[in-house]
Amino acid sequence: MSVQSHIEALTAKHAALEQDLHHEQRRPAPDDSLVADIKRRKLEIKDEINRITH
């Protein structure tokens, strides 16, 4: 897997997590622990993308 394709895969995962987060937050009673977990995973992916690109 090339670096560029790895970054693209990470970006796609980040976008999917953003969708999950959006859906969870729009529920009448969002699960706070799930929201925190999604945000943590998004941050981990963002950090990995930053490490690769810088």
Side-chain angles (χ1 to χ4, degrees), residues 35-48:
V35 168
D37 182 56
I38 293 170
K39 287 181 177 182
R40 179 188 53 77
R41 290 187 289 158
K42 280 182 58 187
L43 183 57
E44 288 172 353
I45 290 171
K46 184 177 177 183
D47 287 345
E48 185 172 352

Side-chain angles (χ1 to χ4, degrees), residues 4-7 10-12 14 18-21 30 34 36 38 40 44 46 48 52-53:
Q4 185 60 35
S5 62
H6 184 60
I7 291 170
L10 289 171
T11 302
H14 189 273
E18 181 64 32
Q19 288 276 32
D20 293 346
L21 179 62
L34 181 57
I38 293 170
R40 179 188 53 77
E44 288 172 353
K46 184 177 177 183
E48 185 172 352
I52 292 169
T53 58

